[in-house]
Amino acid sequence: MKGSKKMYKRKRFVIPVVILLLLIIVRAFLPYFVKNYVNDVLANIPGYYGQVDDIDISLIRGAYVIDNLYLNKVDAGSQVPFLDFKKTDISIEWKSLFKGRIVSEIIMTRPKVTYIFEDQKKEKADDPNLEDWTKALTDLVPIDINTLQVNNGKAAFVQLSADPNIDLHFDQIDLTAQNLSNVVSTDQKLPSVLNASAVSIGQGAVKLEGKMNLIKTIPDMDLSFSLENANARSLNDFTNHYAGIDFKNGNYNLYSEVAIADGFLKGYIKPMLVDAELIGKEDGFLETLWEGFVGFFKFVLKNHKNNTLATKVPLEGDLTDVQSDVWATIFNIFENAWINAFKGMTDDSINFEDAQKAAEK
C-alpha cells in the first residue's frame, strides 16, 4: 500500500516535469521548424527564389516575427531584391477573439518593393509554370488577415537601361488597413478602411484613403489619391528618356479617384503642372529646339491666370479592358487653359454608386 502511494506521488511529480520538458524542447526547436517551412515556401515559388534570416516565436502573443525576408526573380540581371522586408510581425488579433473570430494582424517595418523594369519584363503572363508570388506570401499566414500595418516602407520603379537610370519611388510609406476580414459587421457595402501616406520623388506629399470589400472574389473599392507639390525637376530622367524634355523648375500634382464594383471600374486621373519651365542652360541646340517647340504648345495650352497645365483623363470599363476617353482628355486640356481652371484637389465626382450603376448597364 505504501509502495503504491510512493509510486503515485512519483508519477504526480514526474508527469508535469516531462510535460514541461517537452514544452521547452518544442519551444526551442519551433523557430527552426517554422524557418524551414517559410524558406521552403519561398524556395518553391516558380520563377522566384528567396529566404529569411531568422524567425522569433512568441507563444504568449500567439505570434511569430520574420526577420529579413527577401524575394527575387531567378533570372534577374540585378542583385536588388524584388521584395526586401526587414521585419514582419504576424500575430493573432486578440480583440477579434471577443467577437468570435480568429484572424491575424500583420505589422511590417521598413518593407521595400523594388520593381526593376528589365528583370520583371522577362516574365511571360501566359507561362503556366509561373505562380502568383502574392499567394505564396499569403500562405505564410495561417489564418485570415484582418489588419495590415506598414511602417516606413518604400516602393520603387527602376529602369537600369535608361541613361541616366530612372528611379521613381515613394518613401516613408505608412499604411493602415483595418477590418479586411469583415470582423466588424456593418451595413456598409465597403466595410474595410484604408489610409496611407508617403513622400514621393521630388518630395511630394502623397495621400491615399478609401474603403473596400475584400471578401468578394473581385474586391469592391472606392479610393481617392493625391500627390501634391512635388519638384518637377525630379522627373527629368524619366521625361528626358521618354519625351526628350526636362524641367528647369516648377511643381507637379496628381489627383485620382477610382471606384470598382463587380469588376467594373470608373474613375479619372488628373495630372497638373504648376509654374513649370522647360529648357535648361545645359541643354544642347537640338534639345533646346525640341523643348522650345514643346514649350510653345505648353504656353498656348496652360491657364495663364494660375500658370497651370492640366488635364483630366476619364477611366471606365471592365477590369480586363479599362478604356480612357482620348477626346475627353484633349478637351479637358483646353477646358483648363481657356474655360475653367482645374482645382488642385480631388473632385469628389466619383463614388461607389457610380461604379455600381455603370456595372449594371
Side-chain angles (χ1 to χ4, degrees), residues 5-254:
K5 285 185 178 180
K6 288 182 180 181
M7 183 67 68
Y8 173 75
K9 289 181 179 180
R10 190 178 302 150
K11 287 183 179 180
R12 191 172 60 178
F13 173 76
V14 170
I15 292 176
V17 171
V18 171
I19 293 175
L20 181 60
L21 288 174
L22 287 175
L23 289 175
I24 293 174
I25 293 173
V26 170
R27 174 62 183 84
F29 284 94
L30 189 58
Y32 172 79
F33 289 122
V34 174
K35 180 180 176 180
N36 281 350
Y37 166 74
V38 172
N39 281 333
D40 185 61
V41 171
L42 296 177
N44 287 284
I45 304 176
Y48 291 85
Y49 70 93
Q51 69 175 37
V52 300
D53 282 354
D54 192 23
I55 288 182
D56 297 320
I57 304 292
S58 175
L59 294 179
I60 297 176
R61 289 198 304 122
Y64 69 101
V65 180
I66 302 175
D67 292 327
N68 295 321
L69 180 153
Y70 80 85
L71 186 74
N72 205 6
K73 293 287 293 294
V74 171
D75 57 355
S78 68
Q79 297 301 312
V80 180
F82 174 44
L83 302 182
D84 184 5
F85 298 165
K86 295 300 180 185
K87 181 179 179 181
T88 305
D89 188 308
I90 303 170
S91 64
I92 293 174
E93 189 173 64
W94 290 100
K95 64 181 181 181
S96 296
L97 286 177
F98 297 104
K99 297 181 175 64
R101 295 286 301 277
I102 301 178
V103 291
S104 65
E105 61 178 334
I106 299 179
I107 300 176
M108 307 180 72
T109 303
R110 290 185 296 141
K112 185 186 296 185
V113 180
T114 306
Y115 186 99
I116 305 293
F117 177 75
E118 290 78 7
D119 293 345
Q120 299 298 329
K121 74 175 183 179
K122 297 176 183 178
E123 181 174 320
K124 297 180 180 179
D126 57 350
D127 190 342
N129 294 319
L130 287 178
E131 182 179 336
D132 185 1
W133 57 267
T134 59
K135 181 182 181 300
L137 291 186
T138 304
D139 289 342
L140 298 180
V141 185
I143 53 180
D144 292 338
I145 303 168
N146 193 56
T147 298
L148 173 64
Q149 182 176 326
V150 175
N151 299 324
N152 197 20
K154 180 175 182 177
F157 170 88
V158 178
Q159 186 171 354
L160 300 175
S161 59
D163 186 21
N165 295 343
I166 294 173
D167 183 1
L168 306 177
H169 57 262
F170 293 105
D171 284 321
Q172 301 175 38
I173 299 175
D174 292 323
L175 178 148
T176 302
Q178 298 177 312
N179 200 35
L180 300 178
S181 296
N182 294 7
V183 172
V184 180
S185 299
T186 67
D187 295 332
Q188 299 180 10
K189 296 179 180 178
L190 304 175
S192 307
V193 179
L194 171 68
N195 288 283
S197 64
V199 176
S200 76
I201 181 174
Q203 299 300 299
V206 177
K207 288 186 178 180
L208 173 66
E209 57 184 20
K211 296 182 177 182
M212 305 172 293
N213 182 4
L214 299 184
I215 298 299
K216 299 184 63 174
T217 304
I218 301 178
D220 291 338
M221 59 187 66
D222 187 355
L223 304 175
S224 65
F225 172 88
S226 67
L227 188 165
E228 298 182 306
N229 300 322
N231 191 329
R233 288 176 62 92
S234 65
L235 294 175
N236 281 348
D237 293 341
F238 179 79
T239 57
N240 212 342
H241 182 76
Y242 284 101
I245 60 174
D246 52 37
F247 294 96
K248 183 178 180 180
N249 53 45
N251 293 330
Y252 67 92
N253 302 332
L254 182 65

